[in-house]
């Protein structure tokens, strides 16, 4: 049976950097509101000299170079292995390599400013999120995973006492922070060449902080399913269900696991629970899976 393993999804998180205090911060806000970010390099250079430790300055420079990267080097379109643009039939390999090199260079400058800002402002959650989001968008896989790991480790150290724009207090509860990280884990899980080791490592790192969190326990169960370690998968799913008895996704994953173990009666129990207690979408989905195993009996 082909299993449809299911991660627990969360609502998308939209991050905006806002709230500038005075002087340079206010001026930069006006620049952004007027859509003149691309014209702000001289201003940003002056700001960097005047207030080299201002965290909003690092965010401003990060946004400037990121915007430059996106405006000057859009993603090339690929058609049957050739690179196509709107003006020419194709782009030479040398031109493509030059575009990619220059684009990567600007993107790296943006990241360098954010990295420096984080090194001087260890609890600025908006900087960590901005770094992780853009690395993920750019498909810098290794750097993205490392960025998320760093965020989790800092969360353990500061016990969820984060800051946001203008160093305003921005504390995060267990549910709130796990939801942020689960968004990144879902992205990894749904990527074309998903590496479940990354999902497992990030989940394990966060379980050290929240050992009874049902979302993280479910992640671990799925990772063990991928390794065909069914008994270990069941153990994680059952711990997750103990923390969240009404979670239907964990019950579906348990049913899938018991199907793999050829324990059809137990699988039916979990499918039937979802059919009885789930909404129309969950119920219909469980019915379809139940019918599949009935056909094979």
């Amino acid at each position: 049976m082909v299993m449809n393993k299911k991660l627990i999804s969360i609502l998308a998180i939209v991050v905006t950097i806002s709230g500038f205090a005075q002087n340079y911060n206010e001026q930069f806000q006006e620049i952004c509101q007027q859509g003149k970010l691309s014209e702000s390099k001289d201003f940003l250079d002056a700001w960097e000299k005047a207030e080299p430790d201002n965290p909003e300055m690092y965010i401003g420079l990060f946004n400037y170079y990121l915007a430059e990267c996106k405006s000057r080097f859009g993603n090339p379109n690929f058609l049957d292995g050739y690179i196509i643009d709107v003006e020419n039939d194709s782009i030479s390999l040398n031109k493509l390599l030059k575009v990619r090199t220059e684009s990567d260079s600007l993107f790296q400058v943006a990241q360098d400013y954010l990295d420096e800002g984080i090194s001087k402002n260890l609890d600025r959650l908006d900087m960590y999120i901005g770094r992780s989001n853009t690395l993920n968008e750019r498909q810098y896989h290794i750097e993205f995973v490392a960025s998320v790991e760093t965020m989790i480790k800092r969360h353990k150290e500061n016990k969820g006492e984060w800051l946001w724009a203008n160093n305003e207090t921005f504390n995060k509860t267990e549910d709130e922070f796990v939801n942020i990280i689960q968004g990144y884990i879902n992205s990894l899980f749904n990527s074309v060449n998903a590496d479940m080791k990354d999902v497992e490592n990030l989940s394990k790192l966060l379980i050290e902080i929240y050992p009874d969190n049902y979302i993280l326990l479910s992640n671990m169960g799925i990772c063990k399913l991928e390794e065909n370690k069914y008994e270990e998968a069941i153990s994680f799913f059952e711990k997750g269900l103990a923390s969240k008895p009404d979670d239907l996704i964990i019950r579906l994953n348990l049913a899938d696991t018991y199907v793999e173990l050829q324990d059809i009666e137990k699988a039916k129990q979990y499918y039937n629970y979802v059919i009885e207690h789930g909404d129309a979408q969950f119920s219909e989905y469980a019915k379809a899976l139940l019918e599949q195993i009935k056909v094979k009996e």
Side-chain angles (χ1 to χ4, degrees), residues 19-195:
F20 299 89
Q22 297 175 355
N23 303 324
Y24 283 99
N25 290 359
E26 284 186 341
Q27 292 179 60
F28 188 66
Q29 182 184 30
E30 291 178 5
I31 288 170
C32 293
Q33 289 175 343
Q34 294 170 6
K36 296 182 178 180
L37 184 59
S38 62
E39 304 167 22
S40 64
K41 186 61 169 62
D42 290 342
F43 167 81
L44 288 167
D45 287 342
W47 191 5
E48 186 176 12
K49 291 177 182 177
E51 299 180 349
D53 294 323
N54 188 326
E56 315 314 319
M57 179 272 296
Y58 287 106
I59 292 174
L61 283 161
F62 165 74
N63 281 321
Y64 168 79
Y65 282 104
L66 189 65
E68 280 291 283
C69 177
K70 289 184 176 181
S71 65
R72 291 169 57 183
F73 305 104
N75 294 327
N77 298 313
F78 289 86
L79 181 62
D80 295 330
Y82 294 93
I83 295 82
I84 310 299
D85 67 15
V86 294
E87 296 179 356
N88 307 302
D89 290 334
S90 64
I91 302 175
S92 69
L93 179 59
N94 286 338
K95 183 176 180 181
L96 171 64
L97 293 175
K98 182 174 184 292
V99 166
R100 284 184 171 173
T101 300
E102 292 178 0
S103 176
D104 287 345
S105 178
L106 277 175
F107 182 80
Q108 188 58 55
V109 172
Q111 290 296 320
D112 288 345
Y113 273 113
L114 207 52
D115 288 345
E116 187 175 353
I118 289 172
S119 72
K120 295 180 178 180
N121 303 272
L122 292 176
D123 293 322
R124 280 294 294 265
L125 183 59
D126 51 343
M127 291 188 183
Y128 288 85
I129 289 176
R131 179 172 67 182
S132 297
N133 285 355
T134 50
L135 288 169
N136 189 28
E137 180 184 90
R138 190 83 172 184
Q139 297 182 357
Y140 281 25
H141 178 80
I142 294 173
E143 294 85 352
F144 165 61
V145 172
S147 178
V148 178
E149 287 179 352
T150 303
M151 195 189 312
I152 295 171
K153 291 175 182 177
R154 187 60 193 170
H155 184 78
K156 183 177 182 179
E157 292 171 0
N158 69 20
K159 296 178 171 51
E161 296 181 358
W162 291 99
L163 302 172
W164 199 252
N166 296 318
N167 284 339
E168 293 179 1
T169 301
F170 197 68
N171 294 342
K172 289 280 117 183
T173 64
E174 174 181 339
D175 288 346
E176 290 171 334
F177 190 73
V178 169
N179 282 346
I180 291 173
I181 302 304
Q182 188 66 12
Y184 296 133
I185 288 174
N186 283 333
S187 176
L188 289 169
F189 184 79
N190 293 319
S191 61
V192 176
N193 297 310
D195 186 346

Side-chain angles (χ1 to χ4, degrees), residues 256-273:
D256 288 344
T257 308
Y258 280 114
V259 169
E260 291 299 312
L261 287 170
Q262 301 300 310
D263 192 339
I264 303 305
E265 289 308 311
K266 278 208 171 180
K268 287 180 179 178
Q269 291 175 24
Y270 285 107
Y271 286 136
N272 284 324
Y273 182 96

